[in-house]
């Protein structure tokens, strides 16, 4: 019997009325994998997450998340997935601990588990601080904990390490990798190519609403960029095998700064 796909999008189309935001988007994600959707600003990454999680209705095409149609069984979907969005909607005047415990109660999750998550995202020292006093990076960590508080099987993470310092970002990546090792699946967007190289079992490059490729970045580089590239290192030019940054530029015409 074929393995059930964690995420399946088939010919997904969406328009805001001024042109197609997404054009026949088709891809799959297997359970236990990290899938990275890459693209420039405005490529349609956040719109894709909103379609997959039932926040938007596609104009055509179908979506299946762990065998669930997001539009037909939203309640069941909420028990299966966690979502980290650009604006998570924290309660600003409540403390970090009260925020997370409140959302834990909505899922029927214990306060003890919420407190354990605070430790995992390194927010225990800020547990009694109001969310309004947190930096952007600390709010990102709280948003990740909130996405995980319902003990989901699948996480949708929209730029999970944006605004984090290297140490904190490394901690988030470790959490993501551990989540998958324990059987979870992650669908993420990121602008950090090195992050995608380290984390993702597969990547997809989205450009102007069209998915141009999907696969492991090394396989894609071998397919589309067989020649070595010349890069500057330590003030001199050296040749090396192409990586995800070169692949991204090949498809989008945009270099990563």
């Amino acid at each position: 019997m074929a393995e059930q796909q964690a995420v399946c999008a088939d010919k997904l189309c969406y328009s805001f009325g001024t042109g197609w935001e997404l054009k026949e988007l088709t891809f799959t994600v297997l359970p236990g994998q990290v899938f990275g959707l890459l693209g420039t600003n405005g490529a349609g990454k956040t719109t894709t997450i909103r379609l997959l999680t039932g926040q938007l209705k596609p104009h055509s095409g179908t979506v299946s998340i762990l065998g669930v149609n997001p539009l037909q069984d939203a309640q069941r979907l909420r028990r299966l997935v966690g979502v980290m969005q650009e604006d998570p909607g924290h309660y600003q005047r409540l403390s970090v601990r009260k925020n997370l415990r409140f959302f834990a109660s909505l899922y029927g999750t214990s306060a003890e588990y919420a407190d354990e998550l605070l430790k995992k995202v390194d927010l225990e020292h800020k547990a009694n601080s109001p969310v309004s006093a947190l930096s952007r990076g600390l709010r990102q960590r709280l948003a990740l904990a909130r996405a995980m508080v319902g003990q989901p099987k699948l996480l949708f993470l929209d730029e999970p390490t944006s605004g984090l310092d290297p140490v904190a970002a490394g901690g988030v990546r470790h959490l993501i990798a551990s989540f998958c090792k324990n059987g979870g699946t992650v669908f993420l967007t990121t602008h950090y190519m090195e992050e995608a190289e380290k984390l993702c079992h597969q990547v997809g490059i989205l450009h102007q609403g069209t998915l141009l490729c999907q696969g492991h970045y090394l396989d894609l580089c071998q397919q589309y960029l067989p020649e070595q590239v010349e890069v500057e290192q330590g003030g001199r030019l050296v040749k090396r095998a192409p990586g995800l940054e070169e692949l991204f530029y090949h498809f989008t015409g945009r270099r990563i700064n």
Side-chain angles (χ1 to χ4, degrees):
M1 181 180 294
E3 185 176 16
Q4 183 191 60
Q5 295 156 345
V7 179
C8 180
D10 185 33
K11 297 183 179 179
L12 206 57
C13 295
Y14 188 80
S15 172
F16 287 111
T18 56
W20 289 107
E21 174 83 0
L22 296 174
K23 308 167 189 175
E24 296 197 340
L25 199 62
T26 298
F27 63 88
T28 58
V29 181
L30 292 177
Q33 290 193 346
V34 180
F35 177 84
L37 186 63
L38 314 177
T40 57
N41 290 331
K45 302 185 299 298
T46 299
T47 299
T48 300
I49 287 181
R50 289 174 178 168
L51 288 167
L52 295 175
T53 54
Q55 298 173 69
L56 292 175
K57 182 179 180 180
H59 287 88
S60 61
T62 60
V63 174
S64 175
I65 306 297
L66 297 169
V68 176
N69 184 318
L71 297 176
Q72 293 178 356
D73 200 346
Q75 185 174 359
R76 184 182 174 199
L77 182 71
R78 282 194 291 270
R79 294 195 296 267
L80 295 172
V81 306
V83 184
M84 178 181 174
Q85 302 182 102
E86 185 177 1
D87 182 11
H90 299 312
Y91 292 102
Q92 300 296 312
R93 289 186 290 180
L94 290 182
S95 71
V96 169
R97 177 179 282 116
K98 287 182 178 179
N99 258 276
L100 197 57
R101 284 186 173 185
F102 170 72
F103 287 105
S105 69
L106 297 181
Y107 286 100
T109 307
S110 69
E112 290 76 16
Y113 181 73
D115 292 344
E116 182 183 330
L117 275 180
L118 287 182
K119 293 181 182 179
K120 287 185 176 181
V121 298
D122 196 21
L123 275 179
E124 190 179 22
H125 66 296
K126 293 289 186 179
N128 296 316
S129 299
V131 171
S132 59
L134 299 184
S135 67
R136 182 167 183 262
L138 294 180
R139 293 185 193 198
Q140 284 286 98
R141 292 194 225 174
L142 179 57
L144 177 61
R146 178 175 157 181
M148 299 177 68
V149 77
Q151 298 178 294
K153 293 183 178 180
L154 170 61
L155 286 174
F156 288 96
L157 308 178
D158 200 358
E159 299 188 37
T161 59
S162 176
L164 298 184
D165 62 60
V167 174
V172 169
R173 293 179 192 124
H174 177 73
L175 279 175
I176 293 172
S178 297
F179 180 78
C180 285
K181 285 181 180 179
N182 290 321
T185 306
V186 175
F187 184 105
L188 64 83
T189 70
T190 181
H191 285 129
Y192 303 134
M193 298 299 110
E194 183 179 356
E195 177 172 277
E197 287 183 351
K198 290 180 178 179
L199 279 178
C200 297
H201 299 87
Q202 289 201 10
V203 298
I205 296 180
L206 187 66
H207 186 54
Q208 297 179 351
T210 300
L211 192 69
L212 301 180
C213 65
Q214 177 184 352
H216 191 282
Y217 86 94
L218 288 175
D219 296 332
L220 295 173
C221 285
Q222 187 174 31
Q223 180 178 354
Y224 294 103
L225 301 173
E227 302 297 329
Q228 286 190 323
V229 294
E230 198 171 59
V231 296
E232 184 176 348
Q233 290 183 357
R236 63 192 184 93
L237 294 176
V238 297
K239 288 187 176 182
R240 63 164 173 79
L244 188 50
E245 183 171 341
E246 287 79 25
L247 186 74
F248 186 88
Y249 178 72
H250 171 79
F251 280 109
T252 68
R254 297 283 297 276
R255 292 195 180 278
I256 308 299
N257 295 324

